[in-house]
């Protein structure tokens, strides 16, 4: 089970909800993925306008936990304001803290992320900060009391996969809270590798919504994450420089 704060989830796939071709494809992809946590940018949702189209209306929300995010914020103050807006709408007490520091790379601002996370923890939120693969920043965020750490595999939407597995492994090894790989995953193999490294979950959006067939990709990612987790739990064999026979020589008849 994936445990985040007071919540438990069977699925380790967290799904973003932006950029799908239409609501029907989005709905089918969400259902096929098996995801139990759906994240969305509060700034892009008409949460207070009932007459505006809203994909949430197409889902049975009893089956999902909503994870609003503060995408669009460039300062801690903006992120805090967006988080409070989400909570005021009654959506959820979890918040993904996203404070972008560079519009070209879309990398998070570490200082503002720390500030926002600290304040939102004081406000009683379940806080999941999006970070770079900075090992020390991840440690500081956990020490603040964050309920999960969400390091990027590579830049948002880039599809480059895991470009720094060493740092990602360090973050996983030192963390006592869930580590959810967020951003940059492009293919099911990327998601499987993240899970094989020991990640507790993977958050996806563009890799599914931008695929030629989002529904098939949603299913592929679901299976890849399950396979990667099973592989991690099973424990892979060590790599060797030379061949090692899979059948023992002892007891073989020599003719």
């Amino acid at each position: 089970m994936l445990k985040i704060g007071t919540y438990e989830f069977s699925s380790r796939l967290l799904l973003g909800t932006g950029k799908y071709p239409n609501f029907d494809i989005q709905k089918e992809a969400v259902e096929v993925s098996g995801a139990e946590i759906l994240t969305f940018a509060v700034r892009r949702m008409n949460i207070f306008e009932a007459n505006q189209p809203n994909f949430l209306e197409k889902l049975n929300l009893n089956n999902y936990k909503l994870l609003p995010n503060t995408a669009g914020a460039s300062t801690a103050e903006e992120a805090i304001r967006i988080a409070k807006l989400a909570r005021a709408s009654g959506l959820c007490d979890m918040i993904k803290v996203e404070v972008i520091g560079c519009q070209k790379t879309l990398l998070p601002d570490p200082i503002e992320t720390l500030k926002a996370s600290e304040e939102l923890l004081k406000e009683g939120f379940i806080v999941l900060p999006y970070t770079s693969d900075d090992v020390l920043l991840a440690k500081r965020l956990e020490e603040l009391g964050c309920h999960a750490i969400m390091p990027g595999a590579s830049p948002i939407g880039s599809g480059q996969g895991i470009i720094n597995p060493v740092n990602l492994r360090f973050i996983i090894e030192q963390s006592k809270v869930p580590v959810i790989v967020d951003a940059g995953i492009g293919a099911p193999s990327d998601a499987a590798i993240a899970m094989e490294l020991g990640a507790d979950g993977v958050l996806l959006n563009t890799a599914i919504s931008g695929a030629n067939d989002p529904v098939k990709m949603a299913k592929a990612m679901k299976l890849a994450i399950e396979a990667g987790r099973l592989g991690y739990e099973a424990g892979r064999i060590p790599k060797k420089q030379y061949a090692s026979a899979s059948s023992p020589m002892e007891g073989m008849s020599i003719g």
Side-chain angles (χ1 to χ4, degrees), residues 17 67 77 93 110 163 179 183 194 250:
T17 55
L67 175 61
E77 289 73 19
D93 56 353
I163 59 176
V179 175
E250 294 80 3

Side-chain angles (χ1 to χ4, degrees), residues 40 42 45-49 56 66 68 82-93:
F40 61 92
V42 176
M45 291 288 290
N46 299 304
I47 55 179
F48 291 115
E49 299 181 48
L56 296 178
L66 300 180
I82 293 169
K84 289 182 176 180
L85 176 64
R87 184 160 69 178
S89 71
L91 294 175
C92 188
D93 56 353

Side-chain angles (χ1 to χ4, degrees), residues 46-59:
N46 299 304
I47 55 179
F48 291 115
E49 299 181 48
N51 62 331
Q52 295 297 315
N54 185 335
F55 86 93
L56 296 178
E57 296 172 352
K58 291 185 171 288
L59 301 174

Side-chain angles (χ1 to χ4, degrees), residues 229-240:
R229 181 66 184 183
L230 284 172
Y232 170 73
E233 291 175 345
R236 64 155 291 149
I237 63 170
K239 294 182 180 180
K240 300 174 183 177

